[in-house]
Amino acid sequence: MSEKEDLAKQKAAAAAKAKAEALARKRAKEEAAEKPEGEMDIAKQKAAAAAKAKAEALARKRAKEEAAEKPEGEMDIAKQKAAAAAKAKAAALARKQAKEEAAEKPEGEMDIAKQKAAAAAKAKAAALARKRAKEEAAEKPEGEMDIAKQKAAAAAKAKAAAAAKAKAAAAAKNRTAVKESEEVNTPSELSLNQPKLDQIVSAIESHVGQGALLEHYINRLSKDVPTLVANPDTYFSIAKYLRYDEQLNFSYLSELHGTDFETHMEIYVHLHSFKMNQSVALKVRLDRDSPVIPSLVPLWSGANWPECEAYDLLGINFYEHPDLKRILLGEDWKGYPLRKDYQPYDVEV
């Protein structure tokens, strides 16, 4: 078939189609002229709805065809854009509705609504934070999670220990100041033991030296016992003089113990003289970081176990002790339990 015949057929088909459309429009007009006004409106509405449905179907078809032609990456971007646009549209609509409702609400209801909205936003943010934390935790290997937990626990423990240590130091400092002020505070009425204290102090200063004693006083809180505070360098010399002087003759050691005041260590020795029918307390203050003092076992054999106990529980070292050892705890025990800053080695147990 030639090109001229094809062209003639196409023209004939177009003419026939145009004639059919014209005839259809003419018939529609005739039918419309015969119909009442109400039916005309319904017919128009149906025609408009049919046209709208046809247009939407055509738009969907075109969208599908375009989507089929687009690569996958562009499709995802298009979907994201469409989703974002839909979300923005929904948010704008929600804000508009909220404004309209707010305009209709009284002031009291507005405050309640704001509070509820704030609470909902806060709860949503908290939930999002928890979700992110879970996602991050899920991404970490189990080993790293355990290490992170251990580090957090160790940091919390160290912080608590430091706070407790600072608190204990402050409390101990206050206790020491109060105790010493109470001990030194002497009422206007002299103690019956004051003449004996003067006698002992005079004898020590004459035979040991003027600087042998740091201080001396009547301890009102301990049955008015005369109390001597020795210089660490003259501690053993004073004890030896009290033990062997014929006039004093403090031959009985009834007590020896150590105390941690956190600012310093202290040894307290209680002696008794049957010849004088008098007791006396001998004290010495030691450096807390390196508490070292001569042993009194060569003077009083009864000092043996008390000095071992002070060594065992406080870490005070008595040199020239015949057998200084731990008597309550094992030799492999870590630390000294009567120290104020003692932390158990196996703290988790």
Side-chain angles (χ1 to χ4, degrees):
M1 186 178 291
S2 65
E3 291 181 2
K4 290 183 179 180
E5 289 178 351
D6 289 340
L7 185 61
K9 283 186 178 181
Q10 289 174 5
K11 286 182 178 181
K17 185 177 180 182
K19 189 175 180 180
E21 288 177 354
L23 182 61
R25 284 196 297 272
K26 183 179 178 182
R27 287 179 181 173
K29 285 181 180 180
E30 291 173 355
E31 290 176 358
E34 294 173 2
K35 286 182 180 178
E37 189 175 352
E39 291 183 6
M40 281 291 290
D41 292 337
I42 294 169
K44 285 180 181 180
Q45 290 172 4
K46 287 182 178 180
K52 187 177 179 181
K54 188 175 181 181
E56 289 176 354
L58 182 61
R60 285 195 295 272
K61 183 179 179 183
R62 286 178 182 171
K64 286 182 180 179
E65 290 173 354
E66 291 175 358
E69 294 172 2
K70 284 183 181 179
E72 188 175 352
E74 292 183 9
M75 282 293 290
D76 292 338
I77 294 169
K79 285 181 180 179
Q80 291 173 4
K81 287 182 178 179
K87 187 176 179 181
K89 189 175 180 181
L93 181 60
R95 286 196 296 271
K96 184 179 178 182
Q97 289 177 352
K99 285 182 181 178
E100 291 174 354
E101 291 175 359
E104 296 172 0
K105 287 182 180 177
E107 189 175 351
E109 292 184 9
M110 280 290 290
D111 292 338
I112 295 169
K114 286 181 180 178
Q115 292 172 4
K116 287 182 178 178
K122 188 176 179 181
K124 188 175 181 181
L128 182 62
R130 286 194 297 270
K131 183 180 178 183
R132 287 178 180 170
K134 286 182 180 177
E135 290 172 353
E136 290 175 358
E139 292 172 2
K140 286 184 179 179
E142 188 176 352
E144 290 184 10
M145 284 293 290
D146 292 339
I147 293 169
K149 286 181 180 178
Q150 290 172 5
K151 285 183 178 178
K157 182 181 173 183
K159 189 175 180 181
K165 186 176 179 181
K167 188 175 179 182
K173 191 174 181 181
N174 291 335
R175 286 196 303 270
T176 303
V178 170
K179 183 176 179 182
E180 291 180 353
S181 64
E182 288 176 345
E183 288 181 351
V184 175
N185 183 26
T186 306
S188 57
E189 183 181 351
L190 290 177
S191 169
L192 295 175
N193 288 332
Q194 186 64 46
K196 292 183 179 179
L197 174 61
D198 295 338
Q199 177 189 351
I200 296 168
V201 170
S202 177
I204 290 173
E205 289 178 346
S206 298
H207 291 82
V208 182
Q210 288 293 326
L213 293 173
L214 295 178
E215 60 178 310
H216 51 83
Y217 54 90
I218 297 293
N219 191 345
R220 296 286 185 175
L221 300 179
S222 182
K223 300 180 181 179
D224 280 14
V225 63
T227 302
L228 310 171
V229 181
N231 188 316
D233 296 333
T234 58
Y235 167 72
F236 185 81
S237 299
I238 292 171
K240 186 177 181 179
Y241 180 73
L242 293 173
R243 171 69 180 86
Y244 293 116
D245 181 73
E246 292 182 359
Q247 298 298 320
L248 302 179
N249 194 18
F250 286 91
S251 59
Y252 178 58
L253 184 148
S254 62
E255 182 182 357
L256 185 151
H257 67 261
T259 306
D260 178 12
F261 285 99
E262 292 188 299
T263 55
H264 62 278
M265 293 284 186
E266 185 177 273
I267 295 294
Y268 177 95
V269 183
H270 194 274
L271 304 171
H272 185 77
S273 171
F274 294 101
K275 186 174 183 178
M276 294 180 65
N277 192 25
Q278 179 63 45
S279 294
V280 70
L282 176 62
K283 290 184 176 183
V284 61
R285 295 167 186 161
L286 307 176
D287 178 33
R288 192 173 185 275
D289 295 330
S290 56
V292 180
I293 200 72
S295 171
L296 297 183
V297 174
L299 305 178
W300 294 277
S301 59
N304 187 346
W305 285 94
E307 287 183 349
C308 286
E309 183 182 40
Y311 166 74
D312 191 6
L313 301 179
L314 287 165
I316 299 173
N317 188 12
F318 298 88
Y319 64 85
E320 296 186 4
H321 188 286
D323 186 23
L324 192 62
K325 61 184 178 181
R326 297 193 109 147
I327 58 174
L328 300 174
L329 306 172
E331 289 296 335
D332 58 345
W333 188 274
K334 305 293 183 182
Y336 305 100
L338 287 189
R339 288 199 175 204
K340 299 295 175 61
D341 58 353
Y342 172 70
Q343 290 289 333
Y345 179 70
D346 50 349
V347 70
E348 293 84 6
V349 177

